[in-house]
Amino acid sequence: MCGIVAYLGDRNAFEVIIKGLKRLEYRGYDSSGIALSADNQLKLYKKTGKVSELESFTNSEDLNGGTGIGHTRWATHGEPTDNNAHPHLSFDGTLGIIHNGIIENYASLKQELLNKGYEFKSDTDSEVVIHFIEDIRKNNNCKLDEAVRLALSKVIGAYAIVIIDRNDPSRLIAARKGSPLVIGVGKGEYFLASDATPIIEYTNEVVYLNDFEIAIVCREGLTLKNMEDVESSPYIQKIDMELDAIEKGGFKHFMLKEIFEQPKSIGDAMRGRLNAAEGQLALGGIRDYLNRLISADRIIVLACGTSWHAGLVAEYFFEEWCRIPVEVEYASEFRYRNPIIKEGDVIIAISQSGETADTLAAIELAKSKGAIIFGVVNAVGSSIPRATHVGAYIHAGPEIGVASTKAFTSQVTVLSMIAMIVSYKKGTISETSYHELLVELETIPEKVQIALGLDQRSQSIARSFMNATNFLYLGRGYNFPVALEGALKLKEISYIHAEGYPAAEMKHGPIALIDEEMPVVVIATNDSSYEKIISNIQEVKARKGKVIAIVTEGDEVIPRLADYVLEVPKTHEALMPLVSVIPLQLLSYYIADLRGCNVDQPRNLAKSVTVE
Ligand code: G6P
């Protein structure tokens, strides 16, 4: 939800920032802007649309200057217009701000400022903050960082902000509460961004700003202080991220690249953790609280979106293998429900970005009720792993396409490993079944590789259905969450209405929608509900629906019933979601691409949802 980038140093700030904004476009892409400090002026460029439009708009400008701030927006307060794009300037034009987050008390602050004669150029909450800082600086005749501190002590809400001062280009002031901010530390230069992707080509040394910290970034050094004005030394960490991981590498879209990366990303989730030949499986990150999980009376999974679907798959793992009851909760509902959390409950929070505001708030609520929180997260160093007691990273590498693909399979992989460990230690699974699962899990990357061979076939099926207006996705058991995920993928990127349903529930509603126009994707792999799903396919065919079936290789029955068939390799029923989701990802990708949709940046969506 909004990406911010700032630079201070000897390079051309505009170039660093525009490149960084393109890397952060997954966070928002309805408008963007840059402010550069040069010749005692703040030069401001803002444009509705994508970062490339800002780039063309500024083509003929003189863009020199070694200090600047930039922003790519996902609108919350005020429509996506040039005026509402960031940066925003203070009323007197001396200060500029970029902001990611939401200021909850902006209306009352704005009224106070209006009463004092301040005028506003935008409808945003962010502009209120910079006018407020200007007002405090003037009234207190203090330094900028002090004005920022005083202002933020009155601000309610979430923010990552960077402020530039026209009269002092040798310094930037940044602060964070609830929205991420990373500071890259180079030699006499600093890079500030919402995540590390705009930074890594310049330096791998970073400081993750904590909530309630203010950073004073000067050429001579970086100083941190808290809201009580107490200084601290920055903790510089080395990050391990390759530039290749955040570039398209010859694929048309990041989403397609990420779909094809899955044999590797699933393998990376297991690397150093699983060795089936030696019967070894261990996740160092959760060791400290493993006994709490083993003795848990109940597991509550908290997540949103695709991560919630991975949680649903995990529900089957933990209930079947570990015999622990599981509730999978939308974090956004859980946090507003006064949920009951008992002593024996354990929370598992799942998130790709590690920044989802609802998941983070639900974690804090559960913590306040005494719960132990396990995190299953992709983005290293993000907010959720820092808020949880223990956790396991999924190591999928940066996921840039807004529609999540490789994070889902890596989340399921890690959750399956956690459940295997718990069931083994608990004794709820036999030695033989445990070893069979380890061996089978190790084969998943190569089975996913085979499933990726469905690429051309998925594209040709996509051609037949690219103009459909509705889709139904059906699955049973482990494949029910896959049906939800398949439907979500399609609607996110192609804007076709799609619903995922447990196949047996079809007769309680969706069956009324079925006619000859209706494509029905049935995940019908050969598992314990195989016979039942065949009946569901027959029910669809009896109403002339068009069936696209995902089947296990060698199936001879369903291909005779279905209109289109996509064959995936056989695996253990519980691990099938890792394989059966692949053709669904490909199908949605190709439908969206054939419809000319912006696959990586679908309208109205953002990858990292840092607002409620
Ligand atoms: C957004 C993204 C989804 C993601 C969801 C949860 O809606 O577009 O792809 O599944 O947020 O995000 P998280 O980062 O917590 O997994």
Side-chain angles (χ1 to χ4, degrees):
M1 255 9 29
C2 300
I4 63 180
V5 188
Y7 176 74
L8 187 153
D10 290 329
R11 295 172 203 261
N12 179 297
F14 183 85
E15 280 169 19
V16 173
I17 293 169
I18 205 99
K19 207 168 187 189
L21 290 179
K22 286 186 183 163
R23 297 240 157 92
L24 290 182
E25 243 182 338
Y26 72 87
R27 302 177 67 88
Y29 31 84
D30 59 43
S31 52
S32 60
I34 292 183
L36 295 174
S37 160
D39 312 325
N40 285 335
Q41 289 185 55
L42 277 185
K43 294 196 216 160
L44 189 60
Y45 309 98
K46 310 209 276 188
K47 199 76 197 132
T48 312
K50 299 203 170 298
V51 175
S52 54
E53 287 177 46
L54 175 70
E55 200 175 18
S56 336
F57 170 68
T58 49
N59 242 344
S60 53
E61 300 284 333
D62 167 16
L63 299 165
N64 287 321
T67 308
I69 58 176
H71 187 274
T72 178
R73 181 167 186 249
W74 186 89
T76 56
H77 292 71
E79 287 178 24
T81 58
D82 292 355
N83 273 352
N84 286 335
H86 297 217
H88 294 287
L89 299 190
S90 58
F91 189 43
D92 65 3
T94 54
L95 304 175
I97 190 170
I98 46 175
H99 167 221
N100 166 211
I102 286 193
I103 306 304
E104 287 166 18
N105 61 337
Y106 84 101
S108 58
L109 293 174
K110 187 169 182 174
Q111 194 52 54
E112 243 178 69
L113 292 161
L114 284 168
N115 295 345
K116 289 183 176 176
Y118 283 82
E119 286 168 21
F120 292 82
K121 293 201 171 92
S122 77
D123 308 316
T124 65
D125 49 345
S126 316
E127 191 186 11
V128 175
V129 177
I130 198 64
H131 284 16
F132 188 43
I133 291 171
E134 173 195 332
D135 190 58
I136 290 186
R137 182 158 80 151
K138 283 193 176 139
N139 291 340
N140 294 277
N141 194 19
C142 59
K143 291 198 347 206
L144 180 58
D145 55 275
E146 180 58 4
V148 170
R149 188 180 75 82
L150 295 172
L152 293 181
S153 67
K154 302 239 163 54
V155 162
I156 301 170
Y159 51 79
I161 53 171
V162 184
I163 296 161
I164 190 168
D165 184 347
R166 182 180 74 186
N167 301 322
D168 186 2
S170 68
R171 140 185 339 239
L172 290 166
I173 309 295
R176 146 181 185 151
K177 187 199 149 207
S179 301
L181 193 58
V182 190
I183 304 175
V185 182
K187 288 200 174 67
E189 59 180 353
Y190 291 91
F191 308 82
L192 295 85
S194 300
D195 72 26
T197 55
I199 297 174
I200 53 164
E201 72 181 273
Y202 310 105
T203 175
N204 66 349
E205 300 205 333
V206 299
V207 175
Y208 289 98
L209 210 60
N210 291 312
D211 278 350
F212 302 107
E213 268 179 352
I214 296 171
I216 301 140
V217 184
C218 312
R219 276 174 181 263
E220 308 75 55
L222 168 66
T223 314
L224 302 183
K225 63 179 186 175
N226 65 14
M227 296 301 285
E228 280 72 49
D229 208 16
V230 179
E231 283 193 13
S232 62
S233 327
Y235 168 54
I236 300 179
Q237 306 183 34
K238 282 215 184 325
I239 44 166
D240 175 24
M241 196 190 278
E242 299 293 329
L243 201 52
D244 289 357
I246 56 167
E247 294 189 333
K248 279 193 206 142
F251 283 89
K252 185 171 177 192
H253 293 103
F254 279 111
M255 181 179 176
L256 191 61
K257 176 187 176 227
E258 288 156 7
I259 291 173
F260 273 86
E261 268 171 13
Q262 289 174 106
K264 176 172 185 304
S265 52
I266 295 173
D268 288 346
M270 302 177 202
R271 193 176 315 286
R273 294 166 165 175
L274 169 64
N275 183 337
E278 314 240 315
Q280 272 174 10
L281 177 60
L283 288 166
I286 61 164
R287 199 177 295 132
D288 289 352
Y289 285 91
L290 189 57
N291 283 338
R292 290 294 292 265
L293 203 45
I294 292 168
S295 60
D297 294 327
R298 181 173 67 147
I299 293 172
I300 301 172
V301 175
L302 300 176
C304 304
T306 290
S307 300
W308 186 80
H309 294 157
L312 283 183
V313 180
E315 175 177 22
Y316 289 79
F317 295 149
F318 283 103
E319 295 202 338
E320 187 177 335
W321 301 337
C322 314
R323 307 308 297 150
I324 303 173
V326 180
E327 280 167 36
V328 187
E329 301 269 5
Y330 287 114
S332 54
E333 286 298 313
F334 177 86
R335 59 181 290 204
Y336 290 116
R337 215 188 46 225
N338 192 11
I340 299 163
I341 297 175
K342 301 202 197 111
E343 219 178 294
D345 291 344
V346 167
I347 306 279
I348 299 182
I350 310 170
S351 174
Q352 186 287 126
S353 62
E355 299 294 348
T356 302
D358 282 321
T359 310
L360 204 48
I363 290 171
E364 295 302 344
L365 174 71
K367 263 200 329 200
S368 72
K369 290 175 182 271
I372 293 295
I373 324 278
F374 283 64
V376 174
V377 172
N378 190 31
V380 176
S382 55
S383 303
I384 291 177
R386 291 193 282 158
T388 50
H389 294 96
V390 286
Y393 281 116
I394 62 169
H395 297 307
E399 191 182 63
I400 294 168
V402 165
S404 183
T405 51
K406 64 174 179 170
F408 174 77
T409 45
S410 295
Q411 287 165 341
V412 171
T413 303
V414 168
L415 289 160
S416 78
M417 291 192 289
I418 298 175
M420 285 176 204
I421 295 172
V422 172
S423 61
Y424 184 62
K425 301 234 181 244
K426 221 178 147 182
T428 44
I429 191 171
S430 71
E431 186 90 26
T432 321
S433 307
Y434 175 71
H435 285 286
E436 274 170 13
L437 278 171
L438 297 195
V439 170
E440 196 52 37
L441 185 59
E442 234 174 30
T443 68
I444 293 295
E446 78 200 53
K447 290 184 175 163
V448 167
Q449 188 65 54
I450 296 169
L452 287 168
L454 294 168
D455 184 53
Q456 292 304 308
R457 175 101 183 107
S458 308
Q459 193 172 17
S460 104
I461 298 176
R463 230 171 250 123
S464 307
F465 291 102
M466 60 181 278
N467 294 318
T469 47
N470 284 295
F471 261 79
L472 190 60
Y473 285 72
L474 302 175
R476 301 180 80 116
Y478 281 98
N479 280 326
F480 159 54
V482 178
L484 296 183
E485 177 58 11
L488 178 64
K489 285 292 84 81
L490 186 71
K491 69 187 139 198
E492 278 179 317
I493 59 171
S494 71
Y495 320 136
I496 295 175
H497 171 249
E499 281 193 57
Y501 247 81
E505 274 292 301
M506 174 180 69
K507 54 188 172 295
H508 299 292
I511 200 162
L513 299 170
I514 296 175
D515 59 17
E516 61 277 10
E517 302 292 313
M518 180 77 157
V520 183
V521 180
V522 189
I523 305 121
T525 50
N526 197 347
D527 55 29
S528 52
S529 37
Y530 180 65
E531 302 298 334
K532 307 262 178 232
I533 206 127
I534 291 179
S535 309
N536 299 131
I537 292 176
Q538 268 156 342
E539 285 158 12
V540 175
K541 287 312 300 171
R543 285 152 188 90
K544 300 195 166 47
K546 296 274 177 297
V547 172
I548 305 161
I550 314 300
V551 301
T552 312
E553 61 191 351
D555 189 321
E556 288 181 356
V557 180
I558 297 179
R560 288 205 293 269
L561 299 172
D563 299 272
Y564 300 85
V565 164
L566 289 158
E567 269 196 5
V568 295
K570 187 171 171 41
T571 182
H572 191 289
E573 176 171 3
L575 302 178
M576 187 47 98
L578 293 165
V579 182
S580 59
V581 76
I582 303 294
L584 304 190
Q585 295 171 343
L586 289 168
L587 190 64
S588 60
Y589 170 78
Y590 282 116
I591 290 177
D593 190 40
L594 287 165
R595 284 163 72 91
C597 300
N598 187 336
V599 172
D600 283 334
Q601 292 162 354
R603 70 182 180 212
N604 304 338
L605 297 177
K607 181 123 197 95
S608 180
V609 183
T610 54
V611 296
E612 293 182 16

